[in-house]
């Protein structure tokens, strides 16, 4: 018998992954959480029907949402991830020798629990001495935060619990929570399927941040496979990857990708112009 997981990515697009076994399913206080083992991408984490991460391609997303902004900052010491309860972004942030504190602000403790149990290779950084976990609403948390060097919004899609993470007021609070060379990065969905969302996020960030950039990465299990990240910075960005970062153990990010990910295809360039 064949069992398939299907995500309705939009009304007209679906992704199907053949499932070998269902490992976990629960309804948390915030969302429906499913863990399954798939034939082609290994273990899969799903929240409210949307793929969050798979063992097969998680490295792309987690490396690109972290190493790109951390390389653009002259000396990132204090970093925060809003959302990202699987811990993948924290794992990558801790590869940076300058980082002293990596804070995770996750509203749903059950995501962290499931990740520790079913995705130990992704959650591995959460027990590090430099990792600090806060189970609370990121929108409230950021209002009392100060002096962060990089803040990463590793959210679910802009529906349900994550809706408030895609609005200009939230980017303004992040601006206030950042120090002098502060950088914000937010995952901002697909240029093929959510072009207007990307425009909304970039315009929202530009209301607070003088410098904005969009960059792309290829993530096969996310809608359309081409994913965007929106960046806001308070000032000049570091142009050369610092020598101590050049040999970080990564599988997607390289110093060359650091540069080339900002080269946008024409239709995406036009979208954010
Ligand atoms: N957060 C972004 C997931 C968005 C995917 N959307 C979808 N499948 N419709 C991922 C969390 C990984 N740390």
């Amino acid at each position: 018998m064949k069992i398939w997981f299907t995500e309705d990515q939009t009304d007209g697009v679906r992704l199907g992954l053949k499932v070998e076994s269902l490992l976990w399913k629960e309804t948390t206080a915030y969302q429906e959480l499913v863990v399954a083992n798939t034939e082609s991408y290994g273990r899969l984490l799903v929240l409210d029907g949307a793929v969050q991460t798979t063992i097969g391609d998680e490295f792309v997303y987690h490396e690109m949402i972290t190493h790109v902004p951390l390389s653009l900052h002259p000396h990132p010491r204090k970093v925060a991830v809003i959302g990202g309860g699987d811990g993948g972004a924290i794992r990558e942030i801790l590869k940076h020798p300058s980082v002293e504190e990596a804070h995770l602000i996750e509203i749903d403790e059950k995501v962290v629990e499931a990740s520790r149990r079913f995705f130990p290779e992704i959650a591995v950084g959460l027990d590090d001495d430099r990792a600090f976990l806060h189970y609370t609403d990121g929108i409230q948390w950021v209002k009392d935060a100060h002096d962060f060097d990089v803040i990463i919004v590793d959210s679910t899609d802009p529906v349900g619990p994550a809706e408030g993470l895609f609005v200009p007021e939230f980017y303004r609070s992040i601006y206030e929570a950042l120090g002098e060379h502060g950088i914000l990065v937010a995952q901002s969905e697909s240029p093929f399927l959510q072009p207007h969302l990307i425009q909304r996020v970039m315009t929202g960030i530009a209301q607070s941040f003088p410098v904005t950039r969009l960059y792309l990465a290829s993530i096969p299990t996310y809608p359309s496979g081409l994913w965007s990240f929106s960046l806001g910075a308070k000032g000049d960005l570091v142009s050369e990857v610092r020598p101590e970062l050049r040999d970080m153990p990564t599988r997607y990010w390289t110093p060359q990708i650091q540069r080339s990910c900002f080269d946008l295809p024409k239709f995406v360039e036009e979208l954010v112009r």
Side-chain angles (χ1 to χ4, degrees):
M1 192 172 67
K2 285 187 190 154
I3 302 173
W4 289 77
F5 161 79
T6 307
E7 175 178 339
D8 291 330
Q9 298 180 328
T10 68
D11 283 347
V13 183
R14 287 180 172 169
L15 170 78
L17 296 170
K18 196 201 264 182
V19 169
E20 288 177 337
S21 53
L22 176 67
L23 299 172
W24 188 250
K25 184 172 171 173
E26 76 177 301
T27 305
T28 76
Y30 300 94
Q31 50 210 342
E32 186 197 63
L33 185 162
V34 171
V35 181
N37 198 22
T38 69
E39 184 179 289
S40 302
Y41 285 96
R43 275 158 285 133
L44 157 74
L45 173 67
V46 182
L47 295 176
D48 281 344
V51 171
Q52 298 303 309
T53 214
T54 78
I55 291 298
D57 65 355
E58 60 88 9
F59 65 97
V60 183
Y61 181 88
H62 292 130
E63 290 178 15
M64 290 302 282
I65 204 169
T66 55
H67 300 316
V68 174
L70 268 74
S71 303
L72 293 170
H73 189 283
H75 190 75
R77 288 169 303 109
K78 243 175 97 171
V79 182
V81 178
I82 296 175
D86 51 67
I90 297 288
R91 179 193 67 201
E92 296 303 316
I93 290 165
L94 293 172
K95 290 180 181 171
H96 287 251
S98 63
V99 168
E100 293 163 11
E101 296 177 19
H103 294 261
L104 181 77
I105 299 88
E106 167 61 59
I107 199 165
D108 193 346
E109 190 168 356
K110 296 289 180 190
V111 177
V112 177
E113 239 174 61
S115 186
R116 283 199 152 113
R117 179 159 165 214
F118 296 105
F119 300 88
E121 59 276 75
I122 296 180
V124 55
L126 296 175
D127 295 318
D128 193 281
D129 286 348
R130 295 175 292 160
F132 301 87
L133 277 51
H134 313 262
Y135 297 115
T136 183
D137 182 0
I139 298 169
Q140 291 311 316
W141 179 87
V142 81
K143 289 182 182 158
D144 300 317
H146 301 286
D147 239 13
F148 276 83
D149 297 307
V150 177
I151 297 182
I152 292 166
V153 185
D154 180 6
S155 69
T156 49
D157 297 335
V159 282
E163 234 175 312
L165 305 180
F166 288 83
V167 299
E169 298 73 45
F170 180 59
Y171 305 136
R172 164 59 49 180
S173 311
I174 291 181
Y175 182 92
E176 305 290 347
L178 286 167
E180 199 189 338
H181 301 282
I183 301 176
L184 149 73
V185 165
Q187 77 88 358
S188 49
E189 311 276 312
S190 160
F192 284 104
L193 299 174
Q194 291 94 4
H196 302 297
L197 179 91
I198 295 178
Q199 286 175 325
R200 186 151 66 83
V201 169
M202 288 294 278
T203 316
I205 292 177
Q207 285 180 28
S208 298
F209 290 84
V211 178
T212 58
R213 294 278 161 78
L214 188 80
Y215 62 95
L216 301 174
S218 168
I219 306 177
T221 64
Y222 285 176
S224 91
L226 185 67
W227 210 247
S228 76
F229 302 86
S230 298
L231 183 144
K234 286 197 169 183
D236 290 344
L237 299 165
V238 173
S239 54
E240 280 289 309
V241 173
R242 281 169 274 122
E244 74 268 25
L245 304 181
R246 288 187 197 144
D247 293 319
M248 266 189 304
T250 55
R251 293 173 65 205
Y252 189 93
W253 183 92
T254 64
Q256 289 75 25
I257 294 269
Q258 174 73 26
R259 251 172 284 147
S260 64
C261 68
F262 292 100
D263 291 334
L264 303 175
K266 204 165 179 185
F267 81 102
V268 184
E269 185 76 62
E270 282 168 4
L271 203 68
V272 295
R273 195 173 282 160

